[in-house]
């Protein structure tokens, strides 16, 4: 709170004081009062007024400065009434009481919403586990009854499973709760699971799948990592380019600080102007328009999960040549991960 | 014949699982009485248990802990809970493996097979007629000579050998290869099978691997 602004705000009162003092002086002069008496009265009145201004400014300053300062420090601004004391001036009291009511109703609303979101999340997770049962039965039935079986049905089942997983991880990525567990994970095992998931569709589309990750280990949640890699590989499969031998190559590199997992494909690539937006929610871009099944959620969720796990994810691409997605893991950086 | 106990409350899944296990040469038994699961398990005395975590009236993890207190029977957790925490927890309670639904049935069989192999702890040497097959060293031999099989050829041969007399689909072979991180394509599979045939012919087994059109292969 600034004194100059406070004075400007109280301009009328100050003006009124000066005018009244002037009128009083004039009256006293016209009554032929002793000049020294007038001076004495003026000094007393002016000092009194200034003292009042200083007092009033200070009590307001004390309240508002703390108020603004606390507000600045607060992560959840609506909790401000928990931090400040009730002020000792009238408008301040009104403000304080009003804020208290507003915050209370806000907190109640927030609680209501977070409970309902938690309920919804719980239901979605439950539903996902339920829907996996018929999927599992169908996989078994197809396997056991070869006469019914058709690769196309298995592929469609896999699509359902992928979409269901996407919902599951969307729910996981959007919620503050930590339902992941970070431990040392072998890259080749995670990739092997992704490969197995996509085996049929890779073979069907004649896509060569090359993996050279050695025996590198990273600190991550293996299930989350599998989901992330599966999103990227699914994209590579979706966006293959005609006229070349299709290739997806997964490699790993490392330097003193990080391990890089690189997923390269020689697919249709991404238009330069679209690259910065591929991790945005529901962004589909030019490629998405070519392929009907794009929801624009896969890479967004992948990025959110990476953020939570403390990994970086970047993309590099040239249209009609290649796309390379890199996931960057911190090395033995327990502190960073634990955050 | 090995008895495998299926602890699963979804009837379709448990029936199909039994079907799958029976076809693969095991004896699948479905647990019916969940109220007395522990006594049932003791009575049946299976060689392996497929245990679902989410069974009404039954906490899979608790059952797992209780079984572990009394026996070392191999247990594979089969569940739709796809979470690292659940997996780590299950393994720490003494599960031997953890598979999430929906799983590839061939993979499930491979995992079961792997557990039995690990348990029997045989010296891993297999035989085919008068041939000695050593997957670890990657060789097949008889009294007179010895040939080296590549990793892929060995995976294919041992899979055929394990299912000897039964039809093995190309998909099964592919699954086993991919499961061993050999991400080969259809052409490469053809090449590997024909090389394997050549090597077997060298030992005098000319038509050992028979092609069944539209179905797969069979090792005679």
């Amino acid at each position: 709170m600034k004194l100059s602004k406070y004075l400007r705000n109280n301009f009328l009162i100050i003006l009124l004081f000066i005018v009244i003092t002037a009128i009083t002086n004039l009256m006293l002069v016209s009554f032929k009062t002793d000049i020294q008496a007038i001076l004495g009265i003026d000094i007393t009145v002016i000092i009194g007024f200034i003292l009042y201004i200083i007092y009033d400014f200070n009590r307001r300053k004390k309240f508002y400065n703390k108020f603004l300062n606390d507000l600045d420090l607060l992560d959840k601004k609506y909790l401000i009434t928990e931090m400040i004391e009730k002020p000792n001036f009238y408008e301040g009291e009104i403000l304080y009481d009003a804020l208290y009511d507003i915050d209370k109703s806000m907190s109640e609303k927030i609680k209501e919403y977070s409970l309902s979101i938690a309920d919804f999340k719980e239901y979605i997770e439950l539903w996902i586990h339920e829907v996996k049962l018929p999927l599992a039965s169908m996989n078994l039935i197809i396997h056991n009854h070869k006469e019914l079986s058709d690769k196309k049905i298995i592929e469609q089942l896999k699509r359902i499973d992928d979409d269901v997983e996407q919902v599951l991880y969307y729910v996981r990525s959007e919620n503050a709760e930590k339902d992941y567990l970070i431990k040392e994970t072998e890259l080749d095992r995670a990739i092997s699971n992704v490969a197995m998931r996509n085996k049929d569709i890779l073979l069907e589309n004649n896509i060569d799948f090359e993996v050279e990750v050695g025996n590198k280990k990273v600190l991550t949640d293996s299930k989350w990592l599998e989901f992330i890699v599966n999103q990227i590989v699914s994209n590579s499969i979706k966006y293959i380019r005609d006229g070349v031998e299709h290739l997806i190559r997964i490699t790993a590199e490392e330097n003193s600080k990080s391990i890089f997992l690189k997923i390269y494909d020689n697919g249709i690539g991404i238009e330069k102007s679209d690259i910065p937006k591929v991790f945005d929610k529901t962004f589909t871009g030019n490629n998405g328009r070519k392929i009907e099944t794009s929801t624009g959620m896969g890479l967004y969720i992948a990025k959110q999960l990476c953020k939570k796990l403390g990994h970086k994810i970047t993309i590099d691409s040239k249209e009609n040549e290649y796309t390379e997605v890199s996931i960057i893991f911190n090395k033995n950086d327990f502190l960073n991960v634990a955050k | 014949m090995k008895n495998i106990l299926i602890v699963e409350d979804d009837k379709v899944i448990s029936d199909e699982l039994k079907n799958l296990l029976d076809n693969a040469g095991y004896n699948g038994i479905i647990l019916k009485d969940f109220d007395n699961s522990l006594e049932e398990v003791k009575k049946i005395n299976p060689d392996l248990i497929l245990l679902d975590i989410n069974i009404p009236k039954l906490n899979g993890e608790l059952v797992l802990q209780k079984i572990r207190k009394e026996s070392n029977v191999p247990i594979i957790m089969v569940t739709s809970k796809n979470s690292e925490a659940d997996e780590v927890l299950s393994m720490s309670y003494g599960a031997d493996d953890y598979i999430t639904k929906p799983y590839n049935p061939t993979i499930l069989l491979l995992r079961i097979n792997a557990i039995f192999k690990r348990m029997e702890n045989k010296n891993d040497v297999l035989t085919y007629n008068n041939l000695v097959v050593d997957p670890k060293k990657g060789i097949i031999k008889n009294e007179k000579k010895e040939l080296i099989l590549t990793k892929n050829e060995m995976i294919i041969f041992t899979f055929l050998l394990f299912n000897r007399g039964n039809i093995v689909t190309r998909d099964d072979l592919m699954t086993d290869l991919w499961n061993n991180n050999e991400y080969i394509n259809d052409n490469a599979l053809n090449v590997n099978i024909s090389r394997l045939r050549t090597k077997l012919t060298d030992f005098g087994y000319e038509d050992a691997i028979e092609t069944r059109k539209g179905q797969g292969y069979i090792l005679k």
Side-chain angles (χ1 to χ4, degrees):
Chain A
M1 198 166 158
K2 279 186 187 150
L3 183 63
S4 58
K5 282 202 174 166
Y6 171 80
L7 290 178
R8 213 173 301 152
N9 194 43
N10 287 299
F11 167 71
L12 271 177
I13 291 171
I14 295 166
L15 188 69
L16 197 64
F17 172 76
I18 292 169
V19 169
I20 287 172
T21 313
I23 292 173
T24 315
N25 277 349
L26 280 177
M27 282 163 74
L28 290 173
V29 168
S30 69
F31 292 146
K32 298 205 175 14
T33 314
D34 184 41
I35 254 314
Q36 278 181 331
I38 296 178
L39 263 176
I41 290 170
D42 279 358
I43 289 168
T44 314
V45 170
I46 289 170
I47 288 176
F49 185 71
I50 289 174
L51 279 178
Y52 168 75
I53 293 277
I54 290 171
Y55 165 71
D56 191 53
F57 173 73
N58 270 331
R59 65 176 178 177
R60 282 163 205 269
K61 184 178 163 182
K62 196 178 143 208
F63 171 72
Y64 285 113
N65 274 8
K66 180 163 168 34
F67 179 76
L68 292 175
N69 192 34
D70 288 351
L71 200 60
D72 200 41
L73 292 175
L74 264 182
D75 175 33
K76 295 185 174 94
K77 309 278 186 215
Y78 60 90
L79 292 175
I80 185 68
T81 45
E82 307 290 328
M83 304 281 291
I84 53 174
E85 277 166 36
K86 198 162 181 169
N88 61 351
F89 58 95
Y90 182 53
E91 302 101 306
E93 283 171 22
I94 293 178
L95 176 72
Y96 182 87
D97 290 340
L99 273 179
Y100 187 81
D101 281 349
I102 293 167
D103 288 358
K104 202 172 156 222
S105 100
M106 172 98 168
S107 298
E108 278 165 11
K109 252 301 178 267
I110 286 174
K111 182 142 193 237
E112 196 183 311
Y113 280 124
S114 59
L115 278 178
S116 102
I117 288 173
D119 271 359
F120 188 59
K121 184 194 165 196
E122 203 175 299
Y123 169 66
I124 292 277
E125 292 228 13
L126 200 71
W127 179 85
I128 285 165
H129 296 139
E130 285 300 312
V131 86
K132 295 242 173 185
L133 302 183
L135 284 172
S137 328
M138 281 193 268
N139 271 326
L140 281 166
I141 292 170
I142 289 167
H143 190 91
N144 289 338
H145 306 273
K146 294 250 154 57
E147 70 279 4
L148 301 174
S149 83
D150 190 330
K151 273 266 150 76
K152 283 178 190 154
I153 298 178
I154 298 174
E155 264 169 38
Q156 294 306 310
L157 282 178
K158 189 209 158 254
R159 259 182 71 183
I160 298 176
D161 189 40
D162 273 358
D163 288 347
V164 167
E165 285 273 289
Q166 209 177 59
V167 176
L168 178 66
Y169 280 93
Y170 177 63
V171 172
R172 286 180 177 172
S173 73
E174 292 290 300
N175 281 276
E177 283 164 56
K178 286 186 179 158
D179 36 13
Y180 55 86
L181 184 76
I182 290 182
K183 67 175 179 55
E184 208 164 57
T185 300
E186 287 162 15
L187 277 178
D188 66 347
R189 202 183 146 202
I191 289 163
S192 165
N193 288 336
V194 175
M196 193 53 86
R197 245 184 118 82
N198 293 286
K199 173 176 93 24
D200 294 331
I201 191 161
L202 285 166
L203 290 172
E204 182 89 8
N205 288 292
N206 288 318
I207 302 170
D208 277 336
F209 195 74
E210 292 179 16
V211 178
E212 273 165 53
V213 296
N215 50 6
K216 288 193 174 58
K217 289 177 184 161
V218 295
L219 289 169
T220 191
D221 178 298
S222 68
K223 302 276 189 280
W224 285 35
L225 179 64
E226 277 169 33
F227 173 83
I228 294 165
V229 174
N230 189 50
Q231 291 307 305
I232 299 163
V233 169
S234 298
N235 279 344
S236 296
I237 296 170
K238 234 191 251 178
Y239 301 117
I240 49 177
R241 181 157 50 101
D242 293 334
V244 286
E245 282 195 13
H246 312 309
L247 170 70
I248 296 174
R249 189 170 56 223
I250 303 184
T251 52
E253 292 165 17
E254 67 184 303
N255 62 25
S256 57
K257 278 186 182 162
S258 317
I259 293 179
F260 303 79
L261 179 67
K262 296 185 169 182
I263 300 152
Y264 168 96
D265 70 61
N266 61 353
I268 58 175
I270 303 163
E271 209 173 274
K272 206 174 175 191
S273 60
D274 280 354
I275 292 179
K277 292 177 271 183
V278 291
F279 292 115
D280 292 354
K281 199 172 185 172
T282 67
F283 177 79
T284 50
N286 251 334
N287 290 347
R289 264 164 248 132
K290 287 176 213 158
I291 304 232
E292 282 168 18
T293 54
S294 291
T295 57
M297 290 300 282
L299 285 180
Y300 167 75
I301 299 171
K303 172 129 190 178
Q304 298 306 309
L305 296 176
C306 279
K307 254 192 218 166
K308 284 202 162 187
L309 293 169
H311 312 326
K312 269 192 218 115
I313 182 167
T314 60
I315 197 161
D316 177 30
S317 179
K318 199 164 183 193
E319 218 183 345
N320 287 319
E321 279 191 26
Y322 72 91
T323 303
E324 185 174 72
V325 181
S326 306
I327 303 169
I328 303 151
F329 306 87
N330 288 328
K331 240 183 187 176
N332 291 329
D333 203 343
F334 283 101
L335 244 181
N336 226 340
V337 174
K339 268 186 216 163
Chain B
M1 203 191 285
K2 293 222 157 62
N3 293 321
I4 298 182
L5 181 66
I6 302 161
V7 185
E8 163 71 64
D9 65 321
D10 187 295
K11 195 171 177 310
V12 181
I13 294 185
S14 53
D15 287 350
E16 290 297 338
L17 260 178
K18 179 175 163 49
N19 198 343
L20 176 80
L21 295 172
D22 290 352
N23 287 339
Y26 300 109
N27 180 30
I29 303 164
I30 299 171
L31 183 75
K32 296 246 164 63
D33 183 4
F34 289 126
D35 292 325
N36 302 304
S37 49
L38 272 179
E39 289 71 36
E40 285 289 302
V41 169
K42 264 187 241 167
K43 215 171 15 174
I44 295 164
N45 193 20
D47 298 292
L48 187 144
I49 302 176
L50 298 177
L51 179 62
D52 188 349
I53 298 183
N54 309 307
I55 293 174
K57 303 194 285 185
L58 199 78
N59 180 333
E61 275 150 9
L62 210 67
V63 174
L64 173 63
Q65 279 175 297
K66 282 187 180 157
I67 296 173
R68 263 296 161 268
K69 268 186 198 154
E70 299 182 14
S71 116
N72 276 325
V73 57
I75 298 173
I76 301 180
M77 301 303 272
V78 184
T79 167
S80 57
K81 264 188 177 171
N82 190 9
S83 114
E84 180 93 34
D86 284 314
E87 177 166 344
V88 170
L89 208 60
S90 291
M91 300 304 267
S92 77
Y93 290 156
D96 296 80
D97 208 341
Y98 187 98
I99 285 192
T100 48
K101 293 172 188 168
Y103 42 80
N104 179 322
T106 311
I107 297 269
L108 181 65
L109 294 174
L110 284 169
R111 300 265 189 110
I112 291 172
N113 187 23
I115 285 183
F116 281 141
K117 252 200 217 157
R118 203 162 57 202
M119 270 181 53
E120 282 155 16
N121 205 10
K122 279 193 289 195
N123 46 3
D124 278 341
V125 177
L126 309 164
T127 53
Y128 174 69
N129 298 345
N130 73 334
L131 291 182
V132 175
V133 184
D134 190 337
K136 272 207 179 130
K137 289 186 185 146
I139 51 171
I140 43 175
K141 61 181 177 187
N142 61 12
E143 312 80 57
K144 287 176 203 143
K145 65 176 168 181
E146 183 175 304
L147 277 181
I148 296 173
L149 294 192
T150 63
K151 188 182 169 196
N152 290 347
E153 290 161 4
M154 187 53 90
I155 292 168
I156 295 167
F157 190 53
T158 47
F159 195 92
L160 287 166
L161 193 53
F162 185 74
N163 294 286
R164 192 172 173 184
N166 292 320
I167 295 175
V168 168
T169 65
R170 285 177 67 85
D171 190 53
D172 289 337
L173 289 174
M174 265 315 189
T175 304
D176 197 13
L177 284 158
W178 280 54
N179 193 40
N180 282 289
N181 300 355
E182 295 294 325
Y183 310 114
I184 68 169
N185 59 24
D186 277 314
N187 282 337
L189 180 60
N190 290 337
V191 170
N192 275 295
I193 286 177
S194 80
R195 279 207 206 116
L196 183 59
R197 277 181 168 142
T198 313
K199 286 181 184 173
L200 289 172
T201 307
D202 281 359
F203 286 107
Y205 297 109
E206 215 157 303
D207 299 311
I209 303 174
E210 194 178 290
T211 306
R212 291 286 171 89
K213 229 178 173 186
Q215 298 185 76
Y217 305 95
I218 189 164
L219 182 69
K220 288 198 291 187

